[in-house]
Amino acid sequence: MADSPKDKLKYSILKVIDVSGFKVFDPPVRLIFGEEPQKQIRDIAKYMLLPILFIGVCILAWDIIGPNHKTKSGEVPNPAKVLVAYSDARRFDQREDEKNHAFEVTGSERKSEVKRVESKLAQLEKEQANLQKKSSEIAQAAQKSLDTQLAPIQEKYAALKAKNESAEEVREAEMEALAEKIALKEAQPEKLIALLKQATVAEEKEKEAESILKDQMDLIRDNPPEEVKEAQLVTNKVADEVQHHKKLLAILTKENKSVKEASLLAKAKEDAEQLAAATTGKEVLKEAKSIVKNTERAESTSEQSYPRTATIFWQTRRSLATVFVGFIIAAGVAIPLGIMCGLNRIFMACMTPLISIFRPVSPVVWLLIFQIIVGAFFLPDPASHPLFVFMNDSLNPFSSLQTNPAMIFSACTVAMCALWPALVNTALGVSAIDKDHLNVAKVLKLGFWSRLFKIVIPSSLPLVFAGLRISLGVGWMVLIAAEALSSSDGLGKFVWDEYQNGSSQSFANIILACFVVGIIGFFLDRLMIILQRLVSFDDGSATA
Amino acid sequence: MAFLELDNVTVAFGPATNQTVVLKDISLEVEENEFVAIIGFSGAGKSTLISLLAGLQQPTLGEVRKNGQLVTEPGPDLGLMFQNYSLLPWLSVNDNIKLAVKTAFPKLSKTELAKKIEHYVKMVKLGHAGDRKPHELSGGMRQRASLARTLSLDPEVLLLDEPLSALDALTRSELQDQILNIWETDKRTVVMITNDVDEAVLMADRIIPLTMGPEATLAQEFVVNMERPRDRQTLNDHPEFMRLKSEITSFMMQINKESKAFSSNQVVPMPQIRPKDFTPISGTPRLKTRPTQPGKPKSAA
């Protein structure tokens, strides 16, 4: 085989595609290298364009059907609204970054930052004023046109009302007269009752006519013209920016770490001067106390970090961290246990009842059990428990995750539910070793450990990884529910909070979270497929 | 006393009340540096026999002895080459051999180890494929790698369990020559299981047929009195080769017949049935007339 470098490149790219399980991208790569273009184009049309078209149709159907379904939390958001929710989440995250920076920045950099924010704020305020003016103008104009639209209907309505009132008066008078006559026994009471019935029918009719006009007016009032809405939106956006920059400025000038520290130290210095000037023992004691207090506070300030508000991105990172912790615990327990089960039939017989009984237990039950059992380790004060002190120390790279007991409970629940597939598959993989390979081990007189590491484990690895893949999938699914229930910060809690707070965007946020969960789940699965293919010793075509 | 001995060995499976006897009363003596071929039909219990010799299985009755000592467990001195290669698929050829060399020579330094591996890989002409995984090799190459692994144990006895039966004819003859070459330069005791008469006559000093199972046993041996090295090209014209081949073949066929008769010795007489005569009575069939439709009464002519 005399492969040209181009061919080599092609085959290595194709190999990567194959291992990662993205077979779909095979035809385009071949097309780029000019291999049987017609066949590749046909394949692309069949296996790429048609699916893309199908997805497009699905999104279109969502776009059309969704908004037609009215719910108590507003209509079902369409794709555009979900995208807006995403960009809002991005902006929110960026602002948190900026605030964090404003909190940390020191020295001349801070001064230049203050200048920058101040000028930006001035510019924004100017813009805001302009926009407000413009928008109020637009609103006035709209109001005018609204008034002109409403005027004829209002007139009609007033006329109708007057007419109806007079008609009613006439009816009342008529009935009163009739009642007088009946009292004098000049007429039959049946007549009055008939008249009353007629009056109710007439009144209803009149009311209906009135309400039609009223509805017409309401419709006009409730739907202000698009330009008013747009102007309002633009104004709100700028107002939002202004708000943000004001907050930034406040952080830069008042809450900033270095500023706070400096002011505390300055106070301490002042105290020291006063101490030197003090004449009575009482005063000296007071100043000394103040010095100690202020220097201590300055020290603790220097260790502080900006208290970020949770964003969906941070929640996602936390969820990923939780699922990996749970997954690693699950793998660490399941693989040794599975190997023992596979090697020893007695051990397997002992484990089978446990596996059969605990595997079907719902994650919710596990979560509650772990909250009680594992929670006991963190009593009485979880915040001062060495684990959390260590994890949340500002020097620890994982301190941004803000590890807390709820996170541990969620991770334990994930581990408990993700344990079983890995355990069962490992046991299966170990017990299904080729008899000939065991004979080889006997002929080669391998000891227990070298038999384990040279024969048993390598031979069962493909099945072990197949099990781990299922475990990770299960873990990710369980995690979202566990987070929602234990209110451990993460995607699950994000969804739950959005459901509870019911702002205009929460429905869109829930759908956004749904996509985030799905896409991350997809990539986790791919990751496991790649690992599985790398450890399988045959061509690995059986895994897809 | 012979080097490798099977002494009245019987192998049976199942509970004592309902035993299936696979091998019965087998006695075999193999001298040092002798090449013995055991020939038999598939299912006769050949693999059980070689497992006994390798120590992978213990006889129900009787003894297996090597050098006068009882064989109770497998080990590198009884080098078994498996029928279906049994290379470890996650290791390259070199690493497969390394595993064996480390067992046989646990105290080698790294360079000596590498040298030894290279020696055996080159012996089976796999020098170019040492880094490949088994699934990247052809059947013949895999079997050669398996042979190299067995040889690298430096066994006193080489046990070959149908080593070539999974290979195509051309690869097979090439490997036969290689095994013979290696054996002739580096003499040792060989017991080979085969189902190919030509192969047995070409390679072995003695050929012992195994009768059909169950209760298979060894039949009368055939001694191959042909000078070595034997030349494949002229073999077909060798009178001794022709004689042995036809004798063994007819013997094996006879065993097969006996066994078949044994398994179904009851002859069921078939009833004599004469085929029914379908020719029309009125002479030649008339092709043009259509059969009358059922249910439709024929109008009276």
Side-chain angles (χ1 to χ4, degrees):
Chain A
M1 279 192 291
D3 280 355
S4 65
K6 201 175 140 190
D7 275 358
K8 262 187 194 163
L9 179 67
K10 177 171 106 177
Y11 285 115
S12 53
I13 293 176
L14 288 179
K15 183 106 198 274
V16 169
I17 287 174
D18 182 47
V19 167
S20 56
F22 286 106
K23 268 267 181 207
V24 193
F25 297 112
D26 195 297
V29 172
R30 287 181 195 271
L31 185 66
I32 289 167
F33 285 96
E35 182 190 315
E36 294 178 283
Q38 278 188 330
K39 180 178 176 288
Q40 307 311 338
I41 289 172
R42 254 202 320 275
D43 279 357
I44 291 174
K46 269 194 250 172
Y47 303 117
M48 280 183 93
L49 294 185
L50 281 180
I52 289 173
L53 205 68
F54 172 70
I55 299 298
V57 169
C58 290
I59 292 175
L60 199 68
W62 170 21
D63 194 30
I64 293 167
I65 298 168
N68 286 331
H69 183 58
K70 306 277 190 276
T71 69
K72 68 179 165 64
S73 16
E75 63 203 25
V76 176
N78 60 8
K81 276 189 185 158
V82 175
L83 278 179
V84 168
Y86 174 71
S87 67
D88 282 357
R90 283 306 300 249
R91 201 170 53 236
F92 186 53
D93 191 52
Q94 258 171 11
R95 285 183 177 172
E96 284 301 305
D97 280 345
E98 282 172 19
K99 284 184 199 167
N100 188 27
H101 177 70
F103 184 79
E104 300 281 351
V105 75
T106 55
S108 63
E109 209 183 326
R110 185 183 72 86
K111 274 175 195 152
S112 68
E113 195 69 12
V114 170
K115 241 177 230 165
R116 190 187 68 79
V117 172
E118 270 172 347
S119 71
K120 182 85 202 245
L121 187 61
Q123 188 195 330
L124 279 169
E125 273 173 340
K126 218 163 146 194
E127 200 180 333
Q128 188 190 17
N130 268 343
L131 278 170
Q132 254 162 358
K133 208 168 129 198
K134 220 189 249 166
S135 119
S136 68
E137 272 167 18
I138 289 173
Q140 270 173 8
Q143 191 60 45
K144 232 177 233 171
S145 82
L146 206 68
D147 286 347
T148 53
Q149 263 179 315
L150 282 173
I153 304 173
Q154 233 153 7
E155 234 166 69
K156 243 193 211 166
Y157 179 69
L160 188 67
K161 213 167 181 183
K163 190 180 141 204
N164 287 345
E165 269 166 18
S166 65
E168 202 174 340
E169 268 168 32
V170 169
R171 278 200 302 269
E172 289 281 322
E174 204 178 327
M175 276 188 285
E176 270 167 28
L178 191 59
E180 289 291 317
K181 271 186 185 172
I182 290 167
L184 297 170
K185 310 277 184 209
E186 279 173 20
Q188 300 292 326
E190 285 82 10
K191 223 174 173 185
L192 178 62
I193 287 168
L195 207 61
L196 262 173
K197 272 183 187 163
Q198 270 173 21
T200 1
V201 173
E203 212 170 303
E204 246 166 49
K205 258 188 190 163
E206 281 158 9
K207 280 260 166 73
E208 207 173 303
E210 271 175 34
S211 75
I212 287 173
L213 283 179
K214 225 177 179 176
D215 282 351
Q216 268 180 9
M217 288 193 290
D218 282 346
L219 198 69
I220 292 169
R221 274 202 203 101
D222 288 348
N223 285 309
E226 284 299 316
E227 65 257 25
V228 178
K229 276 193 210 165
E230 263 169 43
Q232 197 59 47
L233 269 178
V234 173
T235 320
N236 285 351
K237 223 174 181 176
V238 174
D240 201 30
E241 280 288 300
V242 168
Q243 198 64 34
H244 169 59
H245 278 83
K246 274 183 182 161
K247 177 77 193 162
L248 262 185
L249 200 60
I251 292 175
L252 276 169
T253 51
K254 283 180 213 141
E255 295 161 35
N256 181 284
K257 201 155 101 176
S258 60
V259 172
K260 245 185 180 171
E261 206 181 334
S263 79
L264 284 166
L265 286 176
K267 255 188 204 165
K269 212 175 173 187
E270 216 172 275
D271 290 337
E273 276 163 19
Q274 280 174 5
L275 180 81
T279 47
T280 63
K282 221 177 183 183
E283 263 179 33
V284 170
L285 192 62
K286 191 186 137 207
E287 295 303 330
K289 269 185 187 166
S290 181
I291 290 171
V292 171
K293 202 176 104 194
N294 280 328
T295 43
E296 257 175 19
R297 272 176 66 192
E299 259 168 40
S300 76
T301 308
S302 72
E303 276 170 16
Q304 265 175 12
S305 59
Y306 173 69
R308 280 180 83 106
T309 317
T311 64
I312 188 170
F313 303 99
W314 177 76
Q315 309 246 40
T316 307
R317 276 202 295 281
R318 205 165 184 275
S319 278
L320 277 173
T322 317
V323 86
F324 272 112
V325 170
F327 175 68
I328 286 164
I329 296 173
V333 175
I335 292 174
L337 274 184
I339 289 173
M340 284 196 271
C341 281
L343 287 178
N344 191 320
R345 291 190 54 190
I346 300 173
F347 191 76
M348 176 76 125
C350 295
M351 287 298 291
T352 306
L354 293 185
I355 296 173
S356 322
I357 289 173
F358 290 133
R359 194 172 52 164
V361 174
S362 157
V364 175
V365 178
W366 286 127
L367 180 73
L368 300 178
I369 291 175
F370 281 124
Q371 280 194 343
I372 299 165
I373 294 179
V374 181
F377 294 118
F378 305 136
L379 292 175
D381 177 24
S384 61
H385 190 274
L387 175 67
F388 302 120
V389 171
F390 170 72
M391 286 305 291
N392 297 329
D393 190 90
S394 58
L395 293 175
N396 193 311
F398 297 109
S399 62
S400 70
L401 291 174
Q402 296 174 19
T403 314
N404 61 359
M407 189 184 186
I408 305 290
F409 304 148
S410 304
C412 287
T413 308
V414 167
M416 201 66 202
C417 295
L419 184 72
W420 311 111
L423 174 57
V424 171
N425 263 42
T426 307
L428 186 69
V430 170
S431 58
I433 294 178
D434 198 336
K435 252 226 132 83
D436 288 331
H437 294 159
L438 288 180
N439 277 342
V440 169
K442 278 186 196 160
V443 169
L444 296 182
K445 286 210 142 176
L446 297 179
F448 175 78
W449 292 111
S450 66
R451 198 178 60 175
L452 188 65
F453 287 109
K454 297 243 163 79
I455 312 259
V456 172
I457 291 178
S459 142
S460 54
L461 266 190
L463 264 176
V464 171
F465 270 82
L468 288 180
R469 182 181 157 203
I470 303 171
S471 283
L472 189 57
V474 168
W476 183 241
M477 258 201 302
V478 164
L479 173 78
I480 306 301
E483 280 175 345
L485 193 66
S486 71
S487 56
S488 159
D489 271 310
L491 282 168
K493 187 174 179 244
F494 176 82
V495 172
W496 188 245
D497 286 350
E498 289 299 328
Y499 179 72
Q500 297 291 6
N501 76 14
S503 81
S504 61
Q505 216 172 35
S506 36
F507 203 169
N509 274 336
I510 290 174
I511 292 180
L512 175 66
C514 163
F515 278 102
V516 171
V517 170
I519 289 166
I520 288 175
F522 168 75
F523 279 108
L524 290 179
D525 194 52
R526 284 289 134 169
L527 183 76
M528 291 310 291
I529 288 184
I530 293 170
L531 286 179
Q532 194 184 343
R533 295 233 174 158
L534 290 181
V535 298
S536 57
F537 33 81
D538 44 16
D539 50 3
S541 54
T543 52
Chain B
M1 192 177 57
F3 184 67
L4 188 64
E5 282 178 291
L6 286 173
D7 190 0
N8 272 319
V9 164
T10 297
V11 175
F13 296 109
T17 51
N18 184 24
Q19 272 192 330
T20 315
V21 179
V22 180
L23 298 174
K24 195 175 183 190
D25 294 336
I26 291 197
S27 291
L28 171 69
E29 294 189 344
V30 184
E31 298 301 326
E32 189 151 17
N33 295 343
E34 196 184 12
F35 196 131
V36 172
I38 291 170
I39 190 162
F41 292 98
S42 40
K46 290 176 299 190
S47 289
T48 312
L49 187 63
I50 205 102
S51 298
L52 280 176
L53 287 170
L56 283 170
Q57 212 171 333
Q58 295 303 313
T60 317
L61 295 170
E63 283 180 353
V64 182
R65 280 190 297 270
K66 189 200 78 187
N67 233 344
Q69 280 182 325
L70 225 55
V71 173
T72 52
E73 54 173 6
D77 51 339
L78 296 161
L80 174 60
M81 180 171 160
F82 294 89
Q83 186 173 356
N84 43 7
Y85 327 128
S86 292
L87 294 167
L88 303 178
W90 50 89
L91 295 180
S92 67
V93 170
N94 281 343
D95 289 342
N96 263 294
I97 295 169
K98 190 168 153 190
L99 205 60
V101 176
K102 268 189 169 168
T103 312
F105 310 97
K107 283 174 191 162
L108 283 185
S109 71
K110 243 184 186 171
T111 48
E112 282 174 311
L113 196 69
K115 227 183 220 171
K116 202 123 196 162
I117 293 167
E118 205 192 333
H119 168 72
Y120 286 110
V121 172
K122 280 208 171 132
M123 188 188 266
V124 295
K125 299 189 176 123
L126 275 178
H128 60 291
D131 292 327
R132 288 202 223 160
K133 297 272 173 71
H135 69 89
E136 296 167 315
L137 302 177
S138 69
M141 286 161 92
R142 281 184 221 186
Q143 197 55 288
R144 260 149 51 196
S146 176
L147 178 64
R149 182 177 66 185
T150 312
L151 288 173
S152 71
L153 289 168
D154 199 21
E156 293 172 35
V157 181
L158 204 56
L159 303 167
L160 309 176
D161 182 7
E162 297 203 41
L164 310 175
S165 56
L167 303 179
D168 61 278
L170 289 173
T171 319
R172 202 168 170 161
S173 44
E174 196 187 314
L175 258 170
Q176 285 167 355
D177 290 347
Q178 266 187 30
I179 293 175
L180 272 181
N181 260 331
I182 292 167
W183 180 71
E184 268 158 25
T185 52
D186 181 22
K187 285 266 183 194
R188 64 189 74 207
T189 315
V190 180
V191 177
M192 179 175 77
I193 299 270
T194 181
N195 55 13
D196 182 347
V197 178
D198 285 31
E199 185 174 284
V201 179
L202 173 72
M203 296 175 81
D205 295 326
R206 267 195 299 156
I207 300 166
I208 305 166
L210 188 67
T211 62
M212 289 293 283
E215 301 195 8
T217 188
L218 292 178
Q220 185 57 48
E221 65 175 35
F222 294 85
V223 178
V224 184
N225 282 320
M226 292 199 300
E227 67 286 0
R228 290 183 189 267
R230 293 167 190 163
D231 184 6
R232 179 186 298 282
Q233 257 72 40
T234 59
L235 210 59
N236 271 328
D237 304 324
H238 201 296
E240 179 71 6
F241 178 79
M242 299 303 285
R243 182 186 68 80
L244 273 169
K245 190 179 159 183
S246 78
E247 263 180 35
I248 297 171
T249 309
S250 62
F251 181 79
M252 296 306 288
M253 296 310 287
Q254 197 196 332
I255 296 180
N256 201 13
K257 257 183 222 156
E258 266 175 27
S259 146
K260 272 183 184 156
F262 176 72
S263 59
S264 65
N265 50 5
Q266 203 183 357
V267 178
V268 181
M270 299 292 282
Q272 260 212 333
I273 300 168
R274 285 194 62 166
K276 200 173 176 182
D277 193 359
F278 282 106
T279 46
I281 304 159
S282 58
T284 52
R286 286 164 296 175
L287 290 171
K288 294 235 166 149
T289 51
R290 286 184 187 171
T292 51
Q293 278 173 2
K296 198 177 175 184
K298 216 191 255 179
S299 57

